[in-house]
Structures are given as structure tokens and as C-alpha cells.
Amino acid sequence: MMMQLAALITNGDAMPDGSGDRIPGNVIYQAAEDGIEDTIKPRLEAAGADCSRIAFLEQSDEEPILLNDARLAQAIEGTKAKLLVIDPLQAYLGMDGEMQRSNSVRSVLGNLTKVAERTGCAVVLIGHMNKSNRTKGIYRGLGSIDIAAVARSVLLIGRDRNIPYYRVMLQIKNNLAPEGKAYVFELNPNYGFRWIGQDEYEVEDLLVSKPKADSKLDKAKDYLRLLLNGTDMACADIFDKMRANGIGKRTVEQAKKDMGIISYKLGDKWYWQLNGSDVGERI
């Protein structure tokens, strides 16, 4: 997902929600766990990135790059980067247990914050999640809670268990504005990455395992059978009723597709009709 966003920045394209200054910018992408030539660059090229605008700082065992490294600040200033991506955060905090010490974490991230404020460069720190069963997403990051405390915005990326290949970016913290809506994208083995759009999700939808019978997709199908039992209904009314019951538009559309529901236009409205095969299944 971050490579797709980096590609948009290098080309001066709008963000998925339509925002952005539409001016091509430079990106620094630090990836410690994937090879630049065999993994990172091919993915950026597949995303359509202008790779001449993307920089990587070489790592070495003798001189590892850490978050408080002056070379990061110099690279941001030298390239006038709009975006710095650190992937993963844990690889750039050092190997001496510093990640668990709140004072050290705040100091390291505080220095990086000053660089970001001075240059206007956005800094994205990608972190792994722990194995905790806590549902509150803010506690699911590895290391000190101060990592999340210092960040102005925290985004959780998770799977939609009801819809194959769907991934959801959900904001679980925002110190600068109201929390934004979840944004959905797809990783499809047939045609790759695709932005889907905004939808309604809660942290529990992504972190808590639920029995299949209780899934939102199953609930959407049951409710569609009830609403369309013997009568057709305007799809706008269906979406309104689903939304009132906590079921988002994308889930309803997936349920419609799975059930083979027919849509047709009458006047200026679209209507849905439960086809015969599904009625037989329902009966």
C-alpha cells in the first residue's frame, strides 16, 4: 500500500481520496527486510512509480542507519523529499533493547519529528503487530506504547475476513483532526493492487475472530433475503437500511454478487430483485 502511495507522489497524482497538491515529489523508502533490486523496485515499477524520484540509503553492519541518524535528515533536506518511509520501524531502533524504553523512544522519535516539521516531509513508520488478543489496536504494535503515543496518526492495516483479497486501512488515532473513515484496497492474484474506496469498519472487524455465522457478510445476505422476499426494493433504500444496522456498502455489494441478485433501472432509480435460484435456496 505504501509503495502505491509513493508512486502517486512521484507522479504528482492525487491520493486515493482525491487530495494532494498534484506536484511530483521525491520519496525516501528505507526497507530493511526486502531486497531493493529483487522486491522493492519491481513493486514500485508495477505501481507505476517514477523511480528516478525514489531514493534508498544503503545499510551496512558497520554503520547501520537508525531513526536518530543525521544521514536521514541530510537525505530529506538534500532530496527535498515529500515522504520518508521506514519499513519496518523495529529495524531502525537499534539492537540494545531501546525499543522498550519509553524515554529513549520519545527522544529518538522526537528528533525525527523536528526534522519533519522543519522540512515538511511526511514520515511513515511501518511496524509489526504483536500476538496479543487485545482488541484495542493501539496496543498491538511491538515495543513501547510510546511509539504510538508520539505519533500524530496511527493506522491499522488488516484483512476483511468476509471478502477475499480485501485489506482495510483504519485510523485508530488522530491528534490533529477527527479520525477518518476506513479505506479499502484489494490485493488480487489475478490483477494485483486496486483501490476500492471508503467504508464503515471498526477495529473489532479486523482484529477479533468471529464465527462465520456471525460475519457481516452472512448478516448482509440474511437481511437481503428478508428485504427482497416477494418484492423488489430501491438499492439506495437497501444501503440506508444496511448502514443503520452497521453493514457497509462494500459488504452489501459483495453479498449481492454472491447471491446473484439482479439489478434494473426503473425511472431514475435502480432496484434489486432476488432471482429465482436464490429464492429456491432460501425456501
Side-chain angles (χ1 to χ4, degrees):
M1 185 200 77
M2 281 310 306
M3 291 184 202
Q4 292 285 331
L5 293 176
L8 295 177
I9 290 173
T10 63
N11 291 310
D13 294 330
M15 293 290 102
D17 65 352
S19 65
D21 58 18
R22 313 295 180 93
I23 301 173
N26 297 327
V27 174
I28 301 173
Y29 205 108
Q30 288 301 113
E33 296 183 345
D34 293 310
I36 300 301
E37 292 299 326
D38 62 9
T39 303
I40 302 299
K41 187 175 180 180
R43 289 180 179 176
L44 287 167
E45 290 175 336
D50 178 355
C51 289
S52 69
R53 287 188 169 275
I54 298 181
F56 310 92
L57 303 186
E58 291 187 6
Q59 283 271 46
S60 69
D61 293 337
E62 295 76 20
E63 294 184 290
I65 295 174
L66 303 179
L67 289 185
N68 58 355
D69 198 310
R71 286 173 291 177
L72 279 178
Q74 292 167 0
I76 291 172
E77 293 171 340
T79 63
K80 295 182 171 58
K82 285 187 174 182
L83 172 68
L84 165 66
V85 179
I86 299 293
D87 179 17
L89 162 67
Q90 288 80 5
Y92 294 87
L93 284 170
M95 303 298 291
D96 57 357
E98 296 286 282
M99 185 165 50
Q100 299 295 345
R101 294 170 49 192
S102 62
N103 290 338
S104 177
V105 167
R106 285 185 176 274
S107 174
V108 169
L109 296 185
N111 291 335
L112 192 58
T113 298
K114 293 177 182 176
V115 175
E117 290 176 344
R118 185 173 69 251
T119 62
C121 178
V123 178
V124 175
L125 309 174
I126 299 176
H128 294 309
M129 296 174 67
N130 59 40
K131 305 298 184 182
S132 170
N133 290 323
R134 300 185 194 183
T135 61
K136 192 170 179 60
I138 204 77
Y139 295 109
R140 290 295 302 271
L142 286 176
S144 170
I145 186 61
D146 284 82
I147 295 172
V150 171
R152 301 299 85 191
S153 172
V154 178
L155 303 169
L156 172 71
I157 308 293
R159 295 172 180 261
D160 184 330
R161 292 179 299 277
N162 299 323
I163 305 178
Y165 314 130
Y166 270 28
R167 304 292 184 267
V168 181
M169 176 178 66
L170 180 66
Q171 190 166 51
I172 57 177
K173 174 189 174 181
N174 190 337
N175 279 15
L176 305 177
E179 291 178 4
K181 281 190 175 181
Y183 215 94
V184 185
F185 60 94
E186 184 176 22
L187 292 175
N188 192 297
N190 296 320
Y191 48 80
F193 186 100
R194 181 169 67 106
W195 294 108
I196 301 296
Q198 291 184 324
D199 207 337
E200 301 290 341
Y201 283 88
E202 301 293 337
V203 173
E204 291 78 9
D205 297 328
L206 306 179
L207 296 184
V208 181
S209 298
K210 298 179 182 179
K212 190 172 185 256
D214 292 332
S215 74
K216 285 193 175 182
L217 183 61
D218 287 331
K219 288 181 180 179
K221 291 179 181 179
D222 290 340
Y223 199 16
L224 281 174
R225 292 188 183 100
L226 179 64
L227 292 174
L228 300 176
N229 183 16
T231 184
D232 301 348
M233 180 177 287
C235 66
D237 295 335
I238 292 174
F239 287 137
D240 287 343
K241 290 181 180 294
M242 290 287 188
R243 193 179 301 111
N245 284 273
I247 302 174
K249 183 178 179 181
R250 302 294 171 183
T251 303
V252 179
E253 289 176 337
Q254 184 66 39
K256 172 182 180 285
K257 180 180 178 181
D258 291 351
M259 295 169 65
I261 290 174
I262 299 169
S263 59
Y264 64 90
K265 193 172 186 180
L266 185 62
D268 60 350
K269 292 185 177 181
W270 282 92
Y271 289 81
W272 286 6
Q273 179 185 74
L274 197 61
N275 66 20
S277 62
D278 196 84
V279 171
E281 177 185 328
R282 175 174 53 81
I283 292 171

